[in-house]
Amino acid sequence: MTKTTKTKATTEQETEVRLGRVKFDIKPGEDISADVCYLCGKPATDWPHPTKGTAHGFASITGHPKALLLCQACFDAEGNLHAIARKHFNNPDVEIRYFH
Ligand SMILES: [Zn+2]
């Protein structure tokens, strides 16, 4: 069995992963300890956004009810969509097609 065959068999479902920025209304002193990056587990804090002041980064996966927070490093990282999909499907062989 080839690697490709295995990939197709385990990820028949097609899903879209998108990255976005969102501004949260976090009040001073609010507990944000649960706001950790989906990929690296480090605190997912906001960073400057061109028009919104600062904003958090997130990934949304079609069919997944929650947006997944990302830290700036992972948001900007090369191959991050692939990493998110691999983690989400718990499948290192997940096949990714990019649409721009
Ligand atoms: Zn991260």
Side-chain angles (χ1 to χ4, degrees), residues 37 39-42 70-71 73-74:
C37 175
L39 284 180
C40 71
K42 289 183 186 145
L70 294 173
C71 72
C74 292

Side-chain angles (χ1 to χ4, degrees), residues 39-72:
L39 284 180
C40 71
K42 289 183 186 145
T45 53
D46 53 352
W47 69 91
H49 183 276
T51 56
K52 293 177 184 166
T54 61
H56 284 74
F58 71 94
S60 67
I61 301 174
T62 309
H64 189 83
K66 267 183 78 177
L68 308 164
L69 281 175
L70 294 173
C71 72
Q72 184 177 7

